[in-house]
Amino acid sequence: MKQAANERAEHLRAISRERLEALVLERAERDEGFALWLDARFAASVADEASALLDPVPFRRRAEALFASTGSGRHRHGWGERSAGIDEAALEQLIDEAEPLLATGRGAHALTILKPVASGLAAYWPENADWDETLHEFFPRLDQLIAQAALMDGVSQEARDNLADELADWQRELAEFGADDAFATAIAACMQGWDEPGLQATLAGLGQSWPPGGGSDPLDADLTRARLAALEAMGRGEHFLNLSRAAGFHCDHAVKLAQMGRVGEAVALAHVRLTTHGDLLRLVEVVASVGRVETAFDLAAWGLSRDGRDEGEENWHHRAGRAMLARWLREKAHEVGNRDMMFKATQVAFEESLAREDFRVAKKLVAPPDWPKLRELLLAALTAAPYAYERIEILLDEDLVADAVACIDLQETRFFSPRDPTLGRLAERALADHPDWVIVLACRMADPIMSEGRSSRYETAALWLGIAARAHKACGRSAQWLAHLDGLIEQHRRKHKLRPLLEELRRTAK
C-alpha cells in the first residue's frame, strides 16, 4: 500500500498544474462526497494560511452528508434489516481536521468542525445503537476534543453556556440508548471552565493536590486531561506543570519538564514515579528529541532492567509496553553503533513479544559473530513460553521442523483450523522425516469436514488428503492409501460436491 501511494505521488508530480486542476474538478463534479471533502479541506487551508475565521458551512455540509448517506432506521421492516453503515474512515478524517486547530490553541475554530459531527452522531445513534460495533468509539474522542476546545482562549463564557445546553440536550436523548455519558467531560468543561474553586491557586503552584482533598473519579481525570491539553496548546507551560504535578499526572509532568529543557528533573521524576514501560517510552522519545540522546539511552536501558513483576508479568499491556521500549532502544542503538546495548534490547524485544518480525529484525541487525549466541537465547525463550502465536512459523524459518512438529499435540487437533496456512506449511515440510505424523494430522484435518458435510470446505479437505497421499508415498505405503481412499469414496458417494474431488485424488494417485 505504501509503495502504491509513493507511485501515485510520483505520477501527480509529473502532471502539469492545469491537468491536475482538471482532474480534480472532473472528480468533484461526479462525486458529491469528494466535492464536500474538498470544500472542507479548502476552508481549513485558508484558515491556516490567513489566520482567518473558519467558514462553518463546508464542515456542516460534510457532516450532514456523511450521516445522511447511511439511510434511516425508520424504514426497516424487520430486525434482520440494517441500513447502510456509515463511512467511519471519512468520519474520522473529518474529526482529524480539528486536530491542527486544537494544537495551536484555536478552540473556537475546532468547535466549528466538532459540533456538527457531534450533532450528527447524536441524531444518528438512537436508530442504530442496536447494530453498532465500532461507532460508539467516536463518543470518547469527540467528548475529549470538544472539552479541550471549550477550555481555550477565544471561546467566551456565553459560547460555553450555549454549547453546554446543546451537549446536555444531545446527551439526554442518547442516555435512552446506552450512551448516557457520551459528552460528560465536555459538559463539565463548559460548565466549570477555569473557575472551579481552588483551580486558579493550583495553576499558580499553590495547591498541593488536585482535586482538592486528593479524591478523583474518572470524570475528574478526564477533565484534568482536557485542561492539560488546553494549557499545552495555549503555551501555558508553568500552569501545565503545576496542574499535572498536583493531579498526579506524572508522565505528562515529566514530558513537559523535558520539553522545557529540564531533562534532569524529568529523569529524576521518572525513576521515582513512572511505573510503566509505555510511560517511559513516551518520555524517552521526548528526551531524545531535545538532543539528549545518551540520557534517553540510559533511561531506556534502566527501564528495561526492571522486570516489571510488580506490574503483572503476564499482563499484556506490560509486555507490549516493554517490547515497544526495547524496539526503540534497539533501533537507536543500532543507528549509533552501540553493539552491546542493541544486543540486549533486541533480546528483550523478542522475549516480550515472541513475534516473528522481532526475530527477523534480530537476525538482520545483530552482527554475524553475535547471531549464534542471540539465536540460542531467543529460541530458548520461545521454547519456554507457554504460548506463542507465531512459534511454528519461527521454527520453520529456522529449519527446526522436528521442534515445530513437537509443538502440535495430535490429541488436541480440534483446536486447529484446517485452513491455517502455517499448519499446511508445517505438514509439507515434515513429509520427508515425519510422514506418519503427517498422515495422522492430515486425516484429522480432513475427516471432520467430510463427515459433517461442510460442503463449502470440501476443497480444503481435498488439499489435506493430497498431503496425506504424499506422506503415504514417502513411507512406502501407497497401496494402503489407495485402499483408504476407496473407502472414503464409498462412504461419501452421495455427497455430489465431494465425490468428484475424491475420485480426482484416486486418478492422480495411480
Side-chain angles (χ1 to χ4, degrees), residues 192-206:
Q192 298 178 32
W194 300 100
D195 300 326
E196 197 170 351
L199 180 56
Q200 290 303 316
T202 299
L203 293 175
L206 303 176

Side-chain angles (χ1 to χ4, degrees), residues 231-252:
L231 292 170
E232 172 78 18
M234 293 186 292
R236 292 161 60 180
E238 288 299 331
H239 288 170
F240 184 105
L241 288 176
N242 292 334
L243 179 57
S244 59
R245 179 177 55 247
F249 280 45
H250 304 302
C251 183
D252 294 288

Side-chain angles (χ1 to χ4, degrees), residues 50-228:
S51 298
L53 292 175
L54 194 64
D55 183 359
V57 174
F59 301 100
R60 186 178 67 247
R61 292 178 60 201
R62 178 74 173 131
E64 289 171 351
L66 280 172
F67 290 106
S69 67
T70 63
S72 172
R74 299 180 190 276
H75 303 296
R76 295 192 190 99
H77 299 289
W79 287 102
E81 297 181 33
R82 294 185 60 179
S83 61
I86 194 169
D87 186 344
E88 293 188 15
L91 181 59
E92 185 170 1
Q93 188 179 61
L94 179 56
I95 296 171
D96 287 344
E97 299 280 3
E99 294 276 12
L101 300 170
L102 289 169
T104 53
R106 291 186 284 174
H109 287 176
L111 289 173
T112 298
I113 298 171
L114 297 172
K115 280 178 58 178
V117 175
S119 174
L121 184 58
Y124 174 82
W125 179 258
E127 295 180 354
N128 296 273
D130 290 336
W131 286 267
D132 170 60
E133 293 182 356
T134 57
L135 194 62
H136 64 277
E137 296 172 2
F138 284 96
F139 283 121
R141 186 180 180 205
L142 279 171
D143 185 32
Q144 192 67 205
L145 295 181
I146 292 172
Q148 292 175 30
L151 290 164
M152 290 181 181
D153 295 338
V155 180
S156 68
Q157 188 56 56
E158 181 182 0
R160 287 194 188 112
D161 291 341
N162 292 336
L163 178 58
D165 290 341
E166 289 182 284
L167 292 167
D169 288 342
W170 297 336
Q171 185 154 297
R172 274 192 294 273
E173 185 172 356
L174 292 168
E176 300 179 25
F177 301 91
D180 52 349
D181 59 351
F183 299 114
T185 309
I187 292 171
C190 290
M191 295 181 67
Q192 298 178 32
W194 300 100
D195 300 326
E196 197 170 351
L199 180 56
Q200 290 303 316
T202 299
L203 293 175
L206 303 176
Q208 294 300 310
S209 64
W210 183 262
S216 178
D217 60 24
L219 179 57
D220 288 328
D222 288 341
L223 183 54
T224 296
R225 289 188 187 93
R227 284 172 168 150
L228 289 173

Side-chain angles (χ1 to χ4, degrees), residues 380-399:
L382 183 67
T383 301
Y387 175 78
Y389 179 70
E390 296 180 307
R391 192 195 315 266
I392 292 174
E393 290 97 321
I394 295 169
L395 293 173
L396 290 180
D397 288 346
E398 294 302 298
D399 203 27

Side-chain angles (χ1 to χ4, degrees), residues 319 322 344 346-354 377-378 381:
R319 299 185 72 89
R322 194 162 187 249
K344 181 59 179 177
T346 301
Q347 180 183 351
V348 173
F350 179 77
E351 288 175 347
E352 295 297 341
S353 71
L354 300 175
L377 291 170
L378 301 188

Side-chain angles (χ1 to χ4, degrees), residues 217-461:
D217 60 24
L219 179 57
D220 288 328
D222 288 341
L223 183 54
T224 296
R225 289 188 187 93
R227 284 172 168 150
L228 289 173
L231 292 170
E232 172 78 18
M234 293 186 292
R236 292 161 60 180
E238 288 299 331
H239 288 170
F240 184 105
L241 288 176
N242 292 334
L243 179 57
S244 59
R245 179 177 55 247
F249 280 45
H250 304 302
C251 183
D252 294 288
H253 189 76
V255 166
K256 175 53 72 175
L257 285 171
Q259 289 172 338
M260 295 175 69
R262 296 157 64 177
V263 173
E265 294 175 63
V267 172
L269 179 63
H271 280 271
V272 176
R273 292 291 191 177
L274 299 194
T275 60
T276 72
H277 293 97
D279 283 349
L280 279 171
L281 174 59
R282 185 179 165 203
L283 177 58
V284 159
E285 290 176 329
V286 172
V287 171
S289 72
V290 299
R292 299 287 293 276
V293 178
E294 287 299 326
T295 302
F297 278 11
D298 292 342
L299 183 58
W302 172 80
L304 293 183
S305 71
R306 300 165 62 240
D307 65 10
R309 292 181 185 273
D310 56 326
E311 302 176 54
E313 193 174 34
E314 297 305 318
N315 182 285
W316 76 269
H317 284 290
H318 156 67
R319 299 185 72 89
R322 194 162 187 249
M324 288 190 293
L325 181 62
R327 289 172 187 141
W328 182 91
L329 184 56
R330 176 187 69 194
E331 302 303 321
K332 296 301 180 182
H334 174 69
E335 288 176 9
V336 301
N338 190 324
R339 181 173 170 177
D340 292 339
M341 191 173 286
M342 187 188 69
F343 186 101
K344 181 59 179 177
T346 301
Q347 180 183 351
V348 173
F350 179 77
E351 288 175 347
E352 295 297 341
S353 71
L354 300 175
R356 188 183 189 187
E357 181 60 22
D358 282 319
F359 195 98
R360 288 175 167 174
V361 171
K363 194 172 186 176
K364 176 182 177 182
L365 293 185
V366 174
D370 295 334
W371 175 239
K373 178 183 177 181
L374 182 58
R375 179 179 184 270
E376 183 179 349
L377 291 170
L378 301 188
L379 291 175
L382 183 67
T383 301
Y387 175 78
Y389 179 70
E390 296 180 307
R391 192 195 315 266
I392 292 174
E393 290 97 321
I394 295 169
L395 293 173
L396 290 180
D397 288 346
E398 294 302 298
D399 203 27
L400 298 171
V401 178
D403 291 340
V405 166
C407 293
I408 304 297
D409 184 351
L410 292 178
Q411 303 304 314
E412 301 292 341
T413 52
R414 66 184 184 279
F415 297 117
F416 295 95
S417 169
R419 293 186 290 184
D420 182 352
T422 301
L423 202 59
R425 181 182 170 213
L426 172 57
E428 295 283 5
R429 293 281 297 277
L431 277 171
D433 296 326
H434 307 274
D436 291 329
W437 179 88
V438 172
I439 290 169
V440 174
L441 175 66
C443 291
R444 290 188 179 177
M445 292 293 102
D447 288 348
I449 296 174
M450 296 185 293
S451 60
E452 294 169 16
R454 288 182 269 173
S455 58
S456 64
R457 300 187 182 182
Y458 282 161
E459 290 188 357
T460 299

